[in-house]
Amino acid sequence: MRDADPRRRVPRTDVLLADPGLAAAADRLGRDRVKAAVVAAQARARAGEITPDRVRDAALAALPAAGPAAVLNATGVVLHTNLGRAPLSAAAVAAVAAAAGHTDVELDLTTGRRARRGRDALAALAAAVPDAGGVHVVNNGAAALVLAATALAAGREIVVSRGELVEIGDGFRLPDLLASTGARLREVGTTNRTTLADYADAVGPDTGFVLKVHPSNFVVTGFTSAVGVDRLATLGVPVVADIGSGLLAPDPLLPDEPDAAGTLRAGAHLVTASGDKLLGGPQAGLLLGDAGLVDRLRRHPLARALRVDKLTLAALAATLHDPDTPTRAALHADPAALRRRTELLGDRLTADGCKAEVVPTAAVVGGGGAPGVELDSWALALPERYARPLRLGHPPVLGRVARGRLLLDLRCVPAAADAALRAAVLAVPAED
């Protein structure tokens, strides 16, 4: 008679390790780690915690994921901070893959001698903003400002408007960031009004620089006044402008968003910005401005700690060489074309038995850029209950819940992913 003890039906270790899913995990994580997960899952089955047929799945579930999950961004937020802000272009992805091995990041192949690190990315950045006498790249926007404050104002004063002492996200506040460099903040004006005389009264022999910060994640309206870079440049001290969003040249779609070229022409000595926002590239901090000033920052000891890796340099260079990025495409998507695409997907879902309403909506820039700007868009409206299973699906789909409905805005979803989005929606179980 066959033994009824279910423990005898626990799959053998060698059989489990030959399973394609577990074999692939072993290639990624190492055989010893996967074997330990298999043994632990077998022990659970023998203890009666799981059935023998669940051992494989339990072992896989105990292993770490391959990495961040690729998500379909149907929120209508172009630069979604929680989703990594700007998605890289195909050219940037290819450049990262090429740079993953040995690369000439600091080598001149012609001479065989050491060369300036990231010279291709730096040359592309300089070409994109000819008004900059010098350029440098660090690992994010906050790092760019920290390097400037440390090199130019440690032990000295930074003059800044009270209305521009922003919080940049996750509890990080500009005053704390700058104070950590050893600089002293000299706050001028009020929350809503600052004049040129306020700055002039504060500038003195101990001034390292005047800081102009673009409040890129909020808007102050009403009884307000602020001082532009052109007027700050008359004060006789360096002016550092943090434009934030990484717009290198004017964009008619975003008339109130400062750009690096225009800010330098207005008289800024140094501009700092992010690479993974409106530029549409990798996370990076961009420094552009007076050649001598930039060189001083580049040679500061802190610059070594803040330097970017070869993958970032490769992605940044590719982005600058081919600026038609997914971010730009999403920002400038034609609302009429979006509507046709959304209606087509809605019709297909309805034919599949899933009623999806097509509704007008408003997308936003996000990522601390162009606050208050809304982009006309269109979305599929589904019952709110779809939100969680879509987030947990394969691929995960993130929409926006509003007024009891889940809105799926296709502005940031590549057209090639429409079939995957449709399959994800249809995979959600019907209500009982």
Coordinates of all heavy atoms in Angstrom, one line a residue, residues 5-13 16 38-39 41-47 50-53 55:
D5 N 1.6 9.2 4.2 CA 2.3 10.4 4.8 C 2.7 11.4 3.7 O 3.5 11.1 2.9 CB 3.5 9.9 5.5 CG 4.2 11.0 6.4 OD1 3.8 12.2 6.2 OD2 5.0 10.7 7.3
P6 N 2.1 12.6 3.8 CA 2.4 13.6 2.7 C 3.8 14.0 2.7 O 4.3 14.6 1.7 CB 1.4 14.8 3.1 CG 1.1 14.6 4.5 CD 1.1 13.1 4.8
R7 N 4.5 13.8 3.8 CA 5.9 14.3 3.9 C 6.8 13.5 2.9 O 7.8 14.0 2.4 CB 6.5 14.1 5.3 CG 5.9 15.1 6.3 CD 6.4 14.8 7.7 NE 5.9 13.5 8.2 CZ 6.1 13.0 9.4 NH1 6.9 13.7 10.2 NH2 5.7 11.9 9.8
R8 N 6.3 12.3 2.5 CA 7.1 11.5 1.5 C 6.9 12.1 0.1 O 7.6 11.7 -0.8 CB 6.6 10.1 1.6 CG 7.0 9.4 2.9 CD 6.6 7.9 2.8 NE 7.0 7.2 4.0 CZ 8.3 6.7 4.2 NH1 9.2 6.8 3.3 NH2 8.5 6.1 5.4
R9 N 6.0 13.0 -0.1 CA 5.7 13.6 -1.4 C 6.5 14.9 -1.5 O 6.3 15.6 -2.6 CB 4.2 13.8 -1.6 CG 3.5 12.5 -1.7 CD 2.0 12.7 -2.1 NE 1.2 13.1 -1.0 CZ 0.7 14.3 -0.9 NH1 0.9 15.2 -1.9 NH2 -0.1 14.7 0.1
V10 N 7.3 15.3 -0.5 CA 8.1 16.5 -0.7 C 9.1 16.3 -1.8 O 9.9 15.4 -1.8 CB 8.8 16.9 0.7 CG1 9.7 18.1 0.5 CG2 7.7 17.2 1.7
P11 N 9.2 17.2 -2.8 CA 10.1 17.0 -3.9 C 11.5 17.0 -3.4 O 11.9 17.7 -2.4 CB 9.8 18.3 -4.8 CG 8.5 18.8 -4.4 CD 8.3 18.4 -2.9
R12 N 12.4 16.2 -4.1 CA 13.8 16.1 -3.8 C 14.5 17.4 -4.1 O 14.1 18.1 -5.0 CB 14.4 14.9 -4.5 CG 13.9 13.6 -4.2 CD 14.9 12.5 -4.6 NE 15.5 12.8 -5.9 CZ 15.1 12.3 -7.1 NH1 14.0 11.6 -7.1 NH2 15.7 12.6 -8.2
T13 N 15.6 17.6 -3.4 CA 16.4 18.8 -3.6 C 16.9 19.0 -5.0 O 16.8 20.0 -5.6 CB 17.5 18.9 -2.6 OG1 17.0 18.8 -1.3 CG2 18.3 20.2 -2.8
L16 N 14.1 20.0 -7.4 CA 13.8 21.4 -7.3 C 14.8 22.3 -7.9 O 14.5 23.3 -8.5 CB 13.6 21.7 -5.8 CG 12.3 21.2 -5.2 CD1 12.3 21.2 -3.7 CD2 11.1 21.9 -5.7
V38 N 15.4 26.3 -0.7 CA 14.7 25.1 -1.0 C 14.7 24.2 0.2 O 13.6 23.6 0.6 CB 15.5 24.3 -2.2 CG1 15.0 22.9 -2.2 CG2 15.3 25.0 -3.5
V39 N 15.8 24.0 0.9 CA 15.8 23.2 2.1 C 14.8 23.8 3.2 O 14.1 23.0 3.9 CB 17.2 23.1 2.7 CG1 17.2 22.5 4.1 CG2 18.1 22.3 1.7
A41 N 12.1 25.5 2.6 CA 10.7 25.3 2.1 C 10.4 23.8 2.3 O 9.2 23.5 2.7 CB 10.6 25.7 0.7
Q42 N 11.3 22.9 2.1 CA 11.1 21.5 2.3 C 10.8 21.2 3.8 O 9.8 20.4 4.2 CB 12.3 20.6 1.9 CG 12.5 20.6 0.4 CD 13.8 19.9 0.1 OE1 14.8 20.1 0.7 NE2 13.8 19.2 -1.0
A43 N 11.5 21.9 4.7 CA 11.3 21.7 6.1 C 9.9 22.2 6.5 O 9.2 21.6 7.4 CB 12.3 22.5 6.9
R44 N 9.4 23.3 5.9 CA 8.1 23.8 6.2 C 7.0 22.7 5.7 O 6.0 22.5 6.4 CB 7.8 25.1 5.4 CG 8.6 26.3 6.0 CD 8.3 27.5 5.2 NE 6.9 27.9 5.4 CZ 6.3 28.8 4.6 NH1 6.9 29.3 3.6 NH2 5.0 29.0 4.8
A45 N 7.3 22.1 4.6 CA 6.3 21.1 4.1 C 6.3 19.9 5.0 O 5.2 19.3 5.3 CB 6.7 20.7 2.7
R46 N 7.5 19.5 5.5 CA 7.5 18.3 6.4 C 6.9 18.6 7.8 O 6.4 17.7 8.4 CB 9.0 17.9 6.6 CG 9.6 17.3 5.3 CD 11.0 16.7 5.6 NE 11.5 16.3 4.3 CZ 12.5 16.9 3.6 NH1 13.0 18.0 4.1 NH2 13.0 16.4 2.5
A47 N 6.9 19.9 8.1 CA 6.2 20.3 9.4 C 4.7 20.6 9.2 O 4.0 20.8 10.2 CB 6.9 21.6 9.9
I50 N 3.0 23.9 4.9 CA 2.6 24.1 3.5 C 2.4 22.7 2.9 O 3.0 21.7 3.4 CB 3.6 24.9 2.6 CG1 5.0 24.3 2.7 CG2 3.6 26.4 3.1 CD1 6.0 25.0 1.8
T51 N 1.7 22.6 1.8 CA 1.6 21.3 1.2 C 2.8 21.0 0.3 O 3.5 22.0 -0.1 CB 0.3 21.2 0.3 OG1 0.4 22.3 -0.6 CG2 -0.9 21.4 1.2
P52 N 3.1 19.8 0.0 CA 4.3 19.5 -0.8 C 4.3 20.2 -2.1 O 5.4 20.5 -2.6 CB 4.3 17.9 -0.9 CG 3.5 17.5 0.3 CD 2.5 18.5 0.6
D53 N 3.2 20.3 -2.7 CA 3.1 20.9 -4.1 C 3.4 22.4 -4.0 O 3.6 23.1 -5.1 CB 1.8 20.7 -4.7 CG 0.6 21.3 -4.0 OD1 0.6 21.1 -2.8 OD2 -0.2 22.0 -4.6
V55 N 6.1 23.7 -2.3 CA 7.5 23.9 -1.9 C 8.3 24.7 -2.9 O 9.0 25.7 -2.5 CB 8.2 22.5 -1.8 CG1 9.7 22.7 -1.6 CG2 7.7 21.7 -0.6

